[in-house]
Structures are given as C-alpha cells and as structure tokens.
Amino acid sequence: MLTPDTVIQCIPPLHGLEQIVGGTDERYGIVSSVLVPLIFPSRGQDDEGCRILFIRRSHQVRHHKGQIAFPGGRRDDEDATILQTALRETVEELGPQARPSRILGMLPPVATVVTGFIIYPFVGMMPDSMEVQPEPREVDDILTVPFNFFLAEGRDAPERYHYGSHVIWGATARIINQLVAFMLRGHCA
C-alpha cells in the first residue's frame, strides 16, 4: 500500500535548491512551480488508495486553457522560494483549506514545449478531509485519479493518459511519468 513514507523514500527530497532557483528572469523560461497533491485515505476508509488531485484550467486564464493540470503557476517577485510559489498558487486556485499537511519531495523541473514555462513540481500530502473552493476565473473543475491508475498505465511513459472522458497530456503527463518512474525504480509501488 502506498503511504507518504514510501513516497518520501522514492522521490528526491527537498534539497535546498528551492531557495535559490530563478527569479523572474525569463531568459531561460518562465519560472513556475506546481503542487502534485496526493490524497491518502484515512485509516479504515474503503477507498482506491492514494489519489492525485488535478484541476481543469478555465478558459479565462492566459495559458493552457481547459487543460488538466496541477495547481500552481508563475513565480511572483514576492515569492521567497519556488515552493512558496506552488503553495500560494494552490491556495489561490483551490481555496484556503488547500494546504498540504506535508511536503514529500521535489521532482526534476519540466519544460513546456510551446509556452516556455520551466515548471518545478513539489509533491505534497493533502488532508483527505480538505474541502476545495475552486477559484472560477482559474479553475473549471476538480478531478481526482487513483495513483494506481498511473502506476498501471505509466510504465511506458505515455505522452497522454485517458481517464474516463479526461485527457491528461503535456507537461502534466511528463510530471506524472517522472513520479511513476521514481516509484517503480525505488520498488515503492
């Protein structure tokens, strides 16, 4: 069974680099970060195990309209670290209760192909009792997907995942592929 401790054993830890990465200098890409929110079931809860939370971006946002994504966004000058960017953006998009109870680690950065973002993904454990309040100008919908779905489908690092009527692709799929690869390589899944 997947637990927060097994995730910590398999993914890169926070290593201090989140303090020094980028500012808002965009010569090498637009610095941004996301939270990969993992929701673990409470003890005794009959569930499919750990789930990953995604947002469907609204059509009012500037970039990546209508796409399935992780909460997050562009670094602001006021953000002391890129981790702070991910946490701030998550609360802005999902409401004040959307704060991870624990940061489990940081995955390698991923670049978007067309829009020029460099995305720093942080993996966080979210409270299973969290009530999200999506910001309608930024978020059209919330989706949770069992982590086991990605473990089963992601062994060959697909370019896109089809979950029901939802298509998860692009940088979001590449971040999932990294997480799956770390979990499989570490024999944690």
Side-chain angles (χ1 to χ4, degrees):
M1 182 166 109
L2 189 65
T3 67
D5 290 332
T6 57
V7 174
I8 288 171
Q9 290 172 5
C10 286
I11 66 173
L14 293 179
H15 40 62
L17 291 180
E18 62 276 3
Q19 297 290 333
I20 60 173
V21 170
T24 53
D25 179 356
E26 297 179 358
R27 285 180 289 178
Y28 305 106
I30 301 166
V31 175
S32 61
S33 61
V34 297
L35 185 67
V36 179
L38 302 182
I39 302 169
F40 295 88
S42 299
R43 284 196 173 102
Q45 187 178 17
D46 186 20
D47 199 359
E48 297 174 295
C50 176
R51 299 178 71 79
I52 302 177
L53 184 143
F54 298 91
I55 62 171
R56 177 181 300 284
R57 295 178 55 81
S58 80
H59 288 276
Q60 298 176 46
V61 296
R62 185 172 180 185
H63 298 288
H64 312 117
K65 297 174 188 295
Q67 292 182 11
I68 301 290
F70 293 113
R74 174 186 233 145
R75 184 171 185 184
D76 285 349
D77 288 329
E78 302 81 42
D79 296 335
T81 67
I82 56 173
L83 174 56
Q84 187 178 5
T85 300
L87 298 175
R88 175 185 53 77
E89 286 282 346
T90 299
V91 168
E92 284 177 12
E93 293 174 354
L94 298 177
Q97 288 192 12
R99 297 181 191 278
S101 51
R102 189 170 170 193
I103 298 297
L104 305 177
M106 178 181 178
L107 298 171
V110 170
T112 61
V113 177
V114 175
T115 52
F117 284 85
I118 304 294
I119 304 168
Y120 293 86
F122 292 89
V123 180
M125 177 179 152
M126 304 303 278
D128 67 335
S129 60
M130 174 183 67
E131 291 184 30
V132 295
Q133 300 166 346
E135 165 52 53
R137 291 178 304 238
E138 297 190 48
V139 178
D140 273 349
D141 199 9
I142 303 297
L143 170 71
T144 63
V145 179
F147 192 83
N148 286 334
F149 168 80
F150 296 110
L151 289 174
E153 298 291 319
R155 294 181 184 276
D156 298 322
E159 290 183 18
R160 60 187 65 228
Y161 292 90
H162 296 270
Y163 183 75
S165 63
H166 305 285
V167 179
I168 302 167
W169 63 285
T172 304
R174 290 193 301 279
I175 292 168
I176 293 168
N177 289 342
Q178 285 187 8
L179 181 57
V180 167
F182 278 113
M183 296 305 291
L184 294 176
R185 209 173 310 143
H187 306 286
C188 299

